[in-house]
């Protein structure tokens, strides 16, 4: 299945130098979202058939990542997200990754090379991404315990970098 024609792109293509590979992702912080607007609610199925509703995570900090298998910066950050997830879930921080425009078969093949044991949600038709301020992939939002968007990261990040982890851990206290 091809990704739907949406008005976004992988940042490696439209903003040269914004999305770097591997260790070059280090030192790229999260950016605070002024006014902390409410996070748009959604209901999506994951690759295992389980239903996830964002509002059901209220009371917990949530990392919400929009991604696609064809996006090089998404692939670059995925291993560090998986490693970070192992420690973050013990601190009550949730991680959800919304794949945009692809199906379970494509994601299943992708996760053979890029394993992830946090929920991989399916926005098959690209409807959820349109409700969020996403300009390109990957884009990640950090949602506070009250269901508000506290931080945003446009482009890949090293999710083990203290510049990224520190704000998450403060929100989780």
């Amino acid at each position: 299945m091809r990704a739907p024609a949406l008005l976004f792109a992988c940042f490696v293509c439209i903003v040269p130098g914004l999305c770097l590979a591997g260790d070059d992702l280090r030192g790229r912080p999260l950016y605070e979202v002024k006014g902390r607007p409410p996070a748009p609610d959604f209901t999506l199925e994951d690759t295992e058939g389980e239903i996830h509703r964002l509002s059901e995570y209220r009371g917990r900090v949530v990392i919400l990542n929009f991604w696609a298998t064809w996006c090089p910066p998404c692939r670059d950050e995925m291993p560090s997200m998986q490693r970070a997830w192992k420690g973050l879930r013990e601190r009550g921080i949730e991680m959800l990754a919304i794949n945009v425009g692809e199906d379970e078969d494509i994601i299943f093949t992708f996760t053979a090379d890029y394993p992830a044991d946090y929920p991989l949600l399916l926005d098959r038709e690209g409807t959820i991404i349109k409700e969020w301020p996403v300009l390109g992939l990957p884009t990640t939002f950090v949602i506070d315990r009250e269901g508000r968007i506290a931080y945003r990261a446009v482009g890949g990040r090293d999710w083990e970098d203290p510049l990224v982890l520190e704000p998450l851990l403060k929100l989780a206290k």
Side-chain angles (χ1 to χ4, degrees):
M1 173 183 222
R2 291 179 16 165
L6 300 174
L7 296 176
F8 67 91
C10 182
F11 272 92
V12 75
C13 303
I14 64 172
V15 184
L18 180 62
C19 295
L20 306 171
D23 292 339
D24 294 332
L25 296 176
R26 216 161 171 73
R28 302 187 67 225
L30 299 175
Y31 295 99
E32 190 170 354
V33 175
K34 301 295 180 202
R36 290 199 183 179
D41 198 14
F42 59 78
T43 301
L44 287 173
E45 184 178 9
D46 69 18
T47 55
E48 305 296 320
E50 185 177 332
I51 301 297
H52 297 261
R53 184 175 178 93
L54 182 59
S55 58
E56 292 175 356
Y57 290 88
R58 184 86 30 100
R60 294 173 271 177
V61 174
V62 178
I63 299 166
L64 182 65
N65 176 262
F66 287 89
W67 69 287
T69 62
W70 49 261
C71 170
C74 300
R75 291 192 304 267
D76 288 345
E77 79 174 347
M78 204 95 164
S80 76
M81 289 182 79
Q82 174 60 32
R83 289 188 302 269
W85 165 240
K86 291 177 181 180
L88 293 173
R89 67 180 167 198
E90 295 171 1
R91 296 176 182 227
I93 298 174
E94 301 290 338
M95 186 177 289
L96 303 171
I98 298 178
N99 177 276
V100 181
E102 298 174 303
D103 64 24
E104 298 92 332
D105 293 336
I106 292 170
I107 296 167
F108 179 77
T109 302
F110 175 82
T111 57
D113 293 325
Y114 300 92
D117 64 0
Y118 48 88
L120 301 176
L121 310 181
L122 303 169
D123 185 11
R124 291 179 186 97
E125 304 302 318
T127 55
I128 303 304
I129 194 171
K130 293 175 187 174
E131 298 175 17
W132 287 76
V134 175
L135 301 174
L137 298 177
T139 295
T140 305
F141 298 93
V142 177
I143 301 158
D144 68 16
R145 294 174 184 270
E146 289 78 39
R148 302 171 303 175
I149 302 171
Y151 293 94
R152 179 168 126 171
V154 177
R157 295 293 185 277
D158 177 350
W159 290 91
E160 298 171 290
D161 188 331
L163 283 174
V164 173
L165 291 175
E166 193 173 304
L168 298 172
L169 298 174
K170 284 182 183 177
L171 281 178
K173 286 184 180 183

